[in-house]
Amino acid sequence: MKESYVDLINIRRQIFAKIAKIAYDGTDLSELEKASFEILPGEVATYRESIFRERAIVEERLRLTMGLNARKPTEYNRVTDGIAEVDVAETQFIEPLINVIPHACEACPTKAFYVTDNCRKCLAHPCTNVCPVNAVSIGKNRAVIDHGKCIKCGRCKETCPYSAIVQYDRPCAAACGVNAIESDHLGRAKINSDKCVSCGNCIIQCPFGAISDKSQIYQLIKAIKANDHMYAIIAPSFIGQFGPLASPAQIFEGIKQLGFKDVVEVSLGADITTIHEAKEFLEKVPNKIPYMGTSCCNSWTLMVKKLFPDQFEYISDSASPMVETAKYIKAKDPQAKVTFIGPCISKKLEALREDVKDYIHFVITFEELMGMFVAKGIELSEIEVSKEIEDASALGRGYAIATGVAEAVKKTALAIDPSKDINVECASSLHECVKLMRAAKAGKKNGYLLEGMACQGGCIAGPGTLASFNRVRKAVTEFKNQAKVESPLDNSIIDENLRNV
Amino acid sequence: MKIKVCAGSNCTLLGSMNILDQIDDLKDIISEDADNYSDEILEVEVIKCLGYCKNTNKKVAPVVVIDEEPMFNATSQAVMEKIVNKIRKQN
Ligand code: FES
């Protein structure tokens, strides 16, 4: 989440901790009816114009965190209506994953250009001269834009010597790389699920906290309490997320104290994916397919599937690091139930896929995990640990940062076949991914390895993170450099047959 | 000046890392403006939970302690204002 949205984070995360506590304590779920009063006591509003509205929104957040839909403002419903369906010890997915909380959305106007008080009504008025549709004129006090004519090209804004023209957009729509944000009859944001690829960037950007995904922590904790074969796998971007004092080994130990049998780095799965993709690239490009796209970012592959269906076969069909890590665990313990912990919301959807659902049973984010630590009273920095974490190579650990996947696949492919020339291009942010795919479709990226990531800067900027981008980038890079081996081909945990080339 | 920022679980959940980031940025602003700020060194220390959050059922996190004086429900703006007021040169 955006760390500067302090008040939003406060509410959002208190609710994670609250639901986790209810789950661990086995509290009767009827308690949820009054939970909003515990989270927002008193009668004075802090965040919005009235405490009643604040509490109503908290109640929807409680429901979403339980995995339920937000209520319709037009229908009578109690907070706990439908709760029996989600009071279970397995993931109970109710569509959609990404939800607009209707009464939290302020129905911000859609994209437009405005003239501000900075306008001096200057003699040159280049704004009028550059407008391709003659929509700008000089009014009594300042330049005036005819919104009926304006085609939103932004040329007036660029040319104004006083920076008097501003572009206004809804933060959710501006963040969406696939134009999935539309409006309902009251002008509130509405997500077009045919277009949405669940990257979660609108959740990060909305300054009213009006968009939220659903959580599985309640069901996960119930499962932990009932099952001894619960394993956690944690994404490469976990370093530094849980405070500057918590070491990687302490984080692993803390997760075990939550009730998991063992924890494995997803970077191990990244190593396996790297070897598969490197071999795949060498074998297929350019003879069988013109270029190859990486497969690990679920929103990127979903985007290609939805917007460029005829190009989808050029995306690698190697399983993602999440799935490879789970397969590794399953091979050792066939009864294993695996929980993926990461920065990513989209993985919650990937886990439901036919070819994935037998390997991954729960997906939660770092934020949700932190809520669980608080609910259990675990202080990571006080845990005694002795051994280091050594599941993965440096290249595998680099997956979390944009360009890291392509780097790993390229270096590994070159280690296998040094004679090969490999061109690489990376896009991070969904907008950039779409642009890259357009170029690829036009035949401009033939012979390339294309890396796509939906979050700008890579997974370390994901919607489920706690620490800032720079903080995590530094920590991840340090951890990467501490890896005992550089290349996945030297990672002795991985099956030798796969590593033999 | 000694600034302690709690990085216990409660405080981390509720944004203490953001306060740390903001203080880091503030250091740059201060060091570039020797005219207005004294050259007193800002000693920022990240600390474990001091128990403030555990000894009460009120919400106190995040906790920041500036020169032994604790601030509860600390926000970065309140913390930075306090720091700036302490090291701004009087004229
Ligand atoms: S976690 Fe900061 S005071 Fe307890």
Side-chain angles (χ1 to χ4, degrees):
Chain A
M1 285 295 288
K2 221 177 155 92
E3 285 287 305
S4 58
Y5 287 2
V6 177
D7 287 338
L8 292 182
I9 282 171
N10 247 298
I11 298 174
R12 180 180 158 87
R13 296 190 187 154
Q14 276 187 73
I15 289 171
F16 294 152
K18 176 87 196 168
I19 298 287
K21 181 121 181 55
I22 287 177
Y24 273 118
D25 294 350
T27 311
D28 194 278
L29 286 176
S30 61
E31 287 292 305
L32 286 172
E33 294 290 349
K34 52 183 190 216
S36 68
F37 282 78
E38 284 160 35
I39 292 165
L40 297 175
E43 53 184 327
V44 181
T46 321
Y47 308 104
R48 302 191 187 243
E49 72 286 359
S50 113
I51 192 145
F52 302 105
R53 184 169 175 212
E54 288 179 353
R55 287 198 188 117
I57 294 165
V58 162
E59 288 178 347
E60 302 316 333
R61 291 193 159 275
L62 288 163
R63 284 179 63 85
L64 291 165
T65 305
M66 287 296 297
L68 290 165
N69 272 324
R71 294 169 296 180
K72 286 208 177 78
T74 46
E75 283 167 23
Y76 172 72
N77 269 140
R78 287 182 315 174
V79 182
T80 49
D81 278 2
I83 206 85
E85 194 185 339
V86 292
D87 191 5
V88 291
E90 61 191 15
T91 296
Q92 197 65 306
F93 181 66
I94 300 173
E95 278 192 286
L97 179 60
I98 315 275
N99 304 264
V100 178
I101 303 171
H103 35 289
C105 177
E106 293 283 338
C108 308
T110 52
K111 181 172 169 180
F113 286 85
Y114 293 107
V115 182
T116 67
D117 280 351
N118 273 12
C119 177
R120 311 268 312 151
K121 252 177 76 173
C122 63
L123 194 144
H125 52 73
C127 52
T128 64
N129 306 342
V130 298
C131 178
V133 289
N134 204 9
V136 190
S137 55
I138 301 298
K140 189 157 167 279
N141 300 315
R142 56 164 88 149
V144 180
I145 298 172
D146 180 338
H147 291 287
K149 281 182 168 178
C150 172
I151 55 166
K152 299 169 188 158
C153 67
R155 294 180 73 182
C156 57
K157 171 179 180 248
E158 271 145 42
T159 194
C160 175
Y162 297 105
S163 308
I165 301 179
V166 291
Q167 182 192 324
Y168 173 100
D169 201 355
R170 315 166 124 180
C172 54
C176 182
V178 291
N179 288 325
I181 307 268
E182 298 171 357
S183 297
D184 72 4
H185 66 293
L186 291 174
R188 297 173 301 199
K190 190 174 109 193
I191 297 169
N192 181 335
S193 56
D194 291 337
K195 290 185 178 170
C196 173
V197 295
S198 297
C199 69
N201 276 286
C202 55
I203 300 179
I204 302 179
Q205 295 300 337
C206 174
F208 284 102
I211 310 181
S212 178
D213 59 325
K214 292 189 180 112
S215 173
Q216 308 167 359
I217 38 175
Y218 180 80
Q219 294 78 13
L220 167 63
I221 294 168
K222 271 199 112 163
I224 287 175
K225 284 160 71 179
N227 188 326
D228 298 334
H229 296 269
M230 298 293 288
Y231 291 80
I233 61 177
I234 190 158
S237 49
F238 80 99
I239 320 289
Q241 296 286 354
F242 306 98
L245 298 179
S247 71
Q250 285 172 321
I251 296 169
F252 272 44
E253 206 42 51
I255 294 174
K256 285 191 209 160
Q257 291 185 8
L258 290 172
F260 287 98
K261 187 166 178 190
D262 207 354
V263 189
V264 178
E265 278 183 70
V266 173
S267 303
L268 167 64
D271 278 349
I272 300 173
T273 300
T274 300
I275 300 176
H276 282 301
E277 290 196 356
K279 289 183 175 176
E280 197 182 343
F281 185 87
L282 292 172
E283 187 215 311
K284 292 188 182 165
V285 180
N287 296 331
K288 293 187 185 146
I289 54 177
Y291 64 89
M292 189 179 95
T294 54
S295 67
C296 50
C297 172
N298 188 53
S299 290
W300 146 260
T301 57
L302 268 179
M303 180 279 288
V304 177
K305 199 173 187 176
K306 288 186 174 188
L307 296 184
F308 303 91
D310 57 338
Q311 306 289 302
F312 188 61
E313 55 183 312
Y314 308 144
I315 301 296
S316 157
D317 38 49
S318 303
S320 70
M322 169 174 88
V323 177
E324 289 296 354
T325 312
K327 283 185 179 165
Y328 164 81
I329 291 173
K330 274 258 168 175
K332 289 180 151 181
D333 179 353
Q335 291 186 55
K337 295 258 182 237
V338 180
T339 301
F340 174 85
I341 305 169
C344 182
I345 286 173
S346 196
K347 290 280 171 202
K348 293 181 182 181
L349 280 192
E350 184 184 336
L352 303 172
R353 257 168 41 189
E354 257 332 286
D355 54 332
V356 176
K357 70 180 195 339
D358 294 333
Y359 297 103
I360 302 291
H361 303 88
F362 294 95
V363 175
I364 63 167
T365 64
F366 296 140
E367 275 189 300
E368 291 164 347
L369 179 68
M370 194 69 225
M372 290 171 68
F373 286 142
V374 166
K376 261 271 189 183
I378 294 172
E379 289 295 340
L380 295 173
S381 57
E382 279 158 26
I383 298 174
E384 302 267 351
V385 285
S386 47
K387 70 172 192 352
E388 296 285 302
I389 312 291
E390 283 169 18
D391 297 335
S393 76
L395 289 176
R397 287 178 176 173
Y399 260 57
I401 305 178
T403 72
V405 179
E407 183 201 2
V409 176
K410 180 176 173 175
K411 282 193 174 158
T412 307
L414 286 178
I416 300 172
D417 180 0
S419 69
K420 187 101 176 176
D421 242 349
I422 302 176
N423 282 322
V424 158
E425 191 154 327
C426 306
S428 85
S429 93
L430 212 43
H431 290 103
E432 293 300 316
C433 288
V434 172
K435 268 192 215 153
L436 180 59
M437 276 312 297
R438 271 200 206 113
K441 186 175 171 161
K444 292 182 191 146
K445 299 294 163 201
N446 287 350
Y448 273 71
L449 172 68
L450 302 182
E451 175 200 282
M453 294 196 186
C455 293
Q456 189 163 18
C459 308
I460 56 172
T465 53
L466 286 114
S468 62
F469 184 83
N470 289 337
R471 188 173 278 282
V472 181
R473 186 172 51 190
K474 219 172 119 206
V476 167
T477 309
E478 232 165 71
F479 191 57
K480 181 180 169 185
N481 295 338
Q482 285 164 11
K484 292 277 176 306
V485 294
E486 169 70 20
S487 163
L489 296 170
D490 300 325
N491 185 349
S492 58
I493 304 176
I494 299 172
D495 182 8
E496 241 179 289
N497 291 329
L498 179 63
R499 287 187 289 131
N500 275 341
V501 286
Chain B
M1 189 183 328
K2 239 188 142 54
I3 304 153
K4 296 181 189 164
V5 179
C6 177
S9 291
N10 263 306
C11 294
T12 301
L13 181 76
L14 300 181
S16 61
M17 279 189 279
N18 179 46
I19 298 181
L20 275 171
D21 290 341
Q22 301 270 355
I23 298 175
D24 268 346
D25 290 349
L26 179 68
K27 279 185 178 168
D28 293 340
I29 299 179
I30 290 171
S31 65
E32 280 160 19
D33 189 353
D35 291 346
N36 287 312
Y37 301 107
S38 74
D39 54 5
E40 184 180 344
I41 292 174
L42 297 187
E43 258 180 86
V44 182
E45 190 191 345
V46 183
I47 54 167
K48 294 181 183 177
C49 172
L50 293 178
Y52 289 114
C53 64
K54 311 257 162 26
N55 301 332
T56 165
N57 42 29
K58 287 209 191 80
K59 183 185 161 286
V60 295
V63 177
V64 174
V65 184
I66 298 184
D67 288 338
E68 303 308 313
E69 187 191 329
M71 297 170 76
F72 300 124
N73 293 310
T75 58
S76 34
Q77 62 269 35
V79 169
M80 289 189 290
E81 184 185 27
K82 196 155 210 156
I83 297 172
V84 165
N85 284 342
K86 282 193 160 204
I87 65 166
R88 190 180 272 145
K89 281 185 188 163
Q90 315 289 346
N91 37 9

